[in-house]
Amino acid sequence: MKTIIDITGMAGRVITREDLHYEESRTMWNRAIEKYPLLIVYCENSEDVKNAILWTRMHEVAIRIRSGRHHYEGYSTGNDVMVIDVSGLSEIVVDEIGGNVTIGGGVRNRELYEALGEKGYAFPGGGCPTVGVPGLVLGGGWGYSTRLLGLSCDSLVELELIDYMGNLIIANERENSDLFWACRGAGGGNFGVVVSMTFNIPKKIDMVTLINMDFPNIDLEEKIEFIKMWQNEYKNLDRRANFKLGIYNSETKGKGIKLTGLFYGDK
């Protein structure tokens, strides 16, 4: 028996369980996450987000928020909830005179890197290109530029969100400053749905080098010695360099260690 859902008052693209695109729409980056939302709303603007929130209050349905679908634990989805998908809020405006960039709530790391990179600017984002920038910032996420440029949340100067009443809230150091503080690394999806963020951008950088080092088929003792060496090396490592060390078990390369990082040097 089909469940008929009254979506009166909502805007944007609404996906219910009866929709042909439901299975595709509910799929997360982590394929181990198997959740079945009541409906998924693809919002194109702030008004769509507002309408979705007001609908959930009227019908007493819980909310989850997603932009990149890239959440390891699957907190951006759930059973019998409304998923507010803000991936359609994808505008990026670079103000080189003002030294800042404003993004929509659905912009992902890769999109922001490309928009700023083609103009010669770096951005202290995260390591995964498909992660939504607001999720990264609200969670205090780390990236390959952190040692030189700080965390993404350190560059945040203002955000706009829709609260549980459907109000558009602006938060910065002067207006709603406590909320602004909380959203710089401790926000999650607790305070509302972020629809816009503005960041300071660093000065242009002429040269950055991507570094990949792979050590396949090494035994446990070698791994231990390598990690000890690397921890010691970091004590005096040039701040322009930053790396992530990962241990892997691959069918083709065996058990090994991989280092990935950036170095902001000169030509």
Side-chain angles (χ1 to χ4, degrees):
M1 181 177 178
K2 290 185 177 181
T3 302
I4 299 175
I5 300 174
D6 180 6
I7 60 173
T8 302
M10 278 198 288
R13 181 182 170 212
V14 181
I15 303 293
T16 66
R17 289 170 176 165
E18 284 71 40
D19 196 289
L20 292 174
H21 301 285
Y22 178 78
E23 285 299 315
E24 176 187 354
S25 295
R26 75 174 184 87
T27 302
M28 302 296 289
W29 176 85
N30 181 357
R31 295 298 189 268
I33 305 298
E34 287 286 340
K35 299 294 183 180
Y36 297 87
L38 182 66
L39 68 168
I40 300 159
V41 183
Y42 290 91
C43 299
E44 298 294 330
N45 50 53
S46 300
E47 194 67 20
D48 290 353
V49 174
K50 172 185 174 179
N51 291 336
I53 291 173
L54 294 179
W55 186 94
T56 61
R57 294 195 66 201
M58 180 183 299
H59 295 273
E60 298 183 342
V61 175
I63 293 174
R64 298 294 184 272
I65 311 161
R66 77 180 189 195
S67 53
R69 307 192 194 190
H70 195 133
H71 196 293
Y72 289 125
E73 301 299 330
Y75 294 165
S76 55
T77 188
N79 293 322
D80 303 318
V81 302
M82 173 195 279
V83 173
I84 296 180
D85 187 299
V86 295
S87 58
L89 282 71
S90 56
E91 186 177 22
I92 301 174
V93 179
V94 182
D95 179 5
E96 294 191 80
I97 296 176
N100 59 63
V101 57
T102 300
I103 67 169
V107 172
R108 303 183 187 190
N109 279 329
R110 177 189 287 118
E111 297 154 0
L112 184 53
Y113 298 157
E114 291 174 350
L116 290 174
E118 68 180 13
K119 296 180 181 294
Y121 298 101
F123 181 76
C128 299
T130 58
V131 168
V133 176
L136 168 76
V137 173
L138 294 172
W142 172 96
Y144 292 111
S145 304
T146 294
R147 299 184 72 245
L148 178 65
L149 302 176
L151 296 173
S152 308
C153 58
D154 295 329
S155 298
L156 184 68
V157 294
E158 184 174 282
L159 75 154
E160 297 180 352
L161 59 79
I162 308 294
D163 72 1
Y164 77 104
M165 294 287 290
N167 298 316
L168 177 66
I169 306 295
I170 297 174
N172 51 47
E173 288 186 347
R174 302 171 304 282
E175 188 174 358
N176 297 303
S177 57
D178 285 349
L179 175 62
F180 179 62
W181 172 86
C183 288
R184 297 177 73 186
N190 298 326
F191 307 118
V193 181
V194 172
V195 294
S196 173
M197 283 183 160
T198 299
F199 302 90
N200 285 327
I201 51 178
K203 294 180 180 179
K204 290 188 177 183
I205 296 176
D206 291 332
M207 188 67 179
V208 58
T209 302
L210 171 65
I211 301 170
N212 282 307
M213 291 182 255
D214 197 2
F215 302 88
N217 289 308
I218 59 176
D219 61 32
L220 180 59
E221 290 304 316
E222 288 177 304
K223 289 194 187 79
I224 292 171
E225 288 304 311
F226 189 97
I227 292 171
K228 286 181 179 178
M229 177 277 296
W230 194 243
Q231 288 177 330
N232 187 64
E233 185 71 22
Y234 249 91
K235 294 177 182 178
N236 299 302
L237 188 67
D238 191 315
R239 290 182 62 85
R240 295 174 296 170
N242 203 13
F243 294 86
K244 178 176 74 174
L245 184 153
I247 300 173
Y248 63 80
N249 185 359
S250 166
E251 290 184 359
T252 57
K253 296 191 293 184
K255 297 177 180 179
I257 283 179
K258 183 175 182 180
L259 278 173
T260 304
L262 298 177
F263 179 71
Y264 286 96
D266 54 45
K267 292 182 179 179

